């Protein structure tokens, strides 16, 4: 049965390669060239395919360090073609790596390293073996209140950490929230993340990747209007993540996103008008308490500055009602850890 599964995956990977120009993967050993920590070259064995994204194939990768002997360590190995057909994509990917590599938090997929081998770039990440929140909601239709509390608290911990370092994620969604073996939430995929910088920092030429991102988003650097930078300085840009948390919390409770619709314009229209309905209780669904509904209402404010920050979210009564039963987790370390 396992072999059959494996064969199916291999077939799917092959098909994906054909269709989308994914990077070819050597079947067995990959030796990391050049950079090596403490004189050790790391050897990865590429294992089964665990997923594919817009431009990456993801494999299980086993780190086999000769010197460490039989210390088997499994990672997620994201493989991307080094030379992409579009320069823009290459730049975007570089930004993603630069930002992700600086993030270190229990609820952010750990970035181990990235290297180039032959034609491909390999990104070695913490393996999240339990899929994503999206998979879970699809399978179960909705999550229990203790689960929703746990994941929201963990998500807010990571977002607090990111925002304190001027990083906005900008692409938070259930499919980007992975789960590790212990069912801890881990934010993955920094494909749209950006670093907000102050005007002075920008002029000093610090934060190369932020500069690049702004130029790709806003046109030629010489012509960037001051208010774009001003906005970055004191603005509420990072509150886009808080809105996304609102959508996620709603979807975890209700089984589908609040503004679900067949057309994009309709989704935008509904969102602008805050047109969403909580589902009627049926045998599949939670009895959704008023506290949860109020929390979502606070998160989904059209005016960005009215949305709470991560700390305020976790301070909401939803998390303390009835003794605040959350699926057990350690909140102190992940949530209050000092920002270096
Ligand atoms: P892309 O950035 O190209 O969209 P993703 O980061 O979404 O690629 O990865 C594609 C798929 O690989 C995901 O949907 C998921 O199934 C799997 N995946 C990605 N990162 C991990 C990880 N750290 N652990 C386990 N699976 C992962």
């Amino acid at each position: 049965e396992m072999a059959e599964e494996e064969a199916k995956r291999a077939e799917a990977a092959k098909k994906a390669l054909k269709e989308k120009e994914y990077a070819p993967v050597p079947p067995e050993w990959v030796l990391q060239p050049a950079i090596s920590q403490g004189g050790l070259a790391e050897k990865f064995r590429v294992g089964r395919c665990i997923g594919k994204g817009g431009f990456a194939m993801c494999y299980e990768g086993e780190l086999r360090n000769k010197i460490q002997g039989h210390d088997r360590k499994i990672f997620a190995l994201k493989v991307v073609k080094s030379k992409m057909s579009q320069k823009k994509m290459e730049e975007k990917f570089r930004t993603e790596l630069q930002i992700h590599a600086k993030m270190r938090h229990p609820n952010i997929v750990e970035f181990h390293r990235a290297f180039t081998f032959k034609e491909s770039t390999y990104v070695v990440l913490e393996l999240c073996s339990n899929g994503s929140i999206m998979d879970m909601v699809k399978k179960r239709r909705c999550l229990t209140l203790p689960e929703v509390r746990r994941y929201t608290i963990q998500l807010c911990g990571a977002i607090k950490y990111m925002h304190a370092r001027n990083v906005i994620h900008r692409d938070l969604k259930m499919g980007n929230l992975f789960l590790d073996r212990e069912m801890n939430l881990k934010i993955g995929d920094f494909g749209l993340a950006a670093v907000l910088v102050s005007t002075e920092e920008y002029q000093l030429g610090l934060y190369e990747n932020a500069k690049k991102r702004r130029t790709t988003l806003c046109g030629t650097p010489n012509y960037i209007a001051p208010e774009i930078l001003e906005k970055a300085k004191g603005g509420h840009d990072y509150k886009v993540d808080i809105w996304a948390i609102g959508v996620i919390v709603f979807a975890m409770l209700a089984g589908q996103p609040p503004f679900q619709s067949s057309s994009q314009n309709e989704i935008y229209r509904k969102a602008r008008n805050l047109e969403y309905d909580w589902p009627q209780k049926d045998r599949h669904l939670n009895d959704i308490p008023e506290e949860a509904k109020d929390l979502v209402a606070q998160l989904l404010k059209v005016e960005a500055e009215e949305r709470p920050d991560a700390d305020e979210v976790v301070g909401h009564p939803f998390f303390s009602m009835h003794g605040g039963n959350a699926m057990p987790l350690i909140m102190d370390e992940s949530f209050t850890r000092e920002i270096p």
Side-chain angles (χ1 to χ4, degrees), residues 220-240:
T220 323
N222 284 328
Y223 299 87
I224 293 177
E227 72 270 17
I228 296 171
L229 302 169
E230 275 314 303
K231 196 172 171 234
K233 188 181 181 183
H236 300 278
D237 260 11
Y238 68 94
K239 291 285 173 92
V240 300

Side-chain angles (χ1 to χ4, degrees), residues 25 51 53 55-61 75-80 93 96-97 100 113-115 120-125 178 188-191:
V25 171
F55 58 100
M57 288 291 280
C58 203
Y59 300 84
E60 265 181 20
F75 291 91
L77 210 51
K78 219 165 134 170
V79 189
V80 176
F93 186 56
E96 173 178 350
L97 293 188
H100 196 168
R113 65 178 43 185
F115 59 90
S120 305
T121 300
Y122 292 76
V123 191
V124 187
L125 299 167
F178 297 123
D189 205 336
F190 282 74

Side-chain angles (χ1 to χ4, degrees), residues 53-67:
F55 58 100
M57 288 291 280
C58 203
Y59 300 84
E60 265 181 20
E62 187 184 335
L63 174 63
R64 287 219 190 146
N65 226 323
K66 263 195 182 151
I67 300 185

Side-chain angles (χ1 to χ4, degrees), residues 122-141:
Y122 292 76
V123 191
V124 187
L125 299 167
E126 172 182 7
L127 177 70
C128 297
S129 51
N130 276 316
S132 71
I133 296 272
M134 174 77 145
D135 302 329
M136 195 150 78
V137 168
K138 270 194 183 152
K139 238 181 271 167
R140 302 239 319 266
R141 176 108 183 256

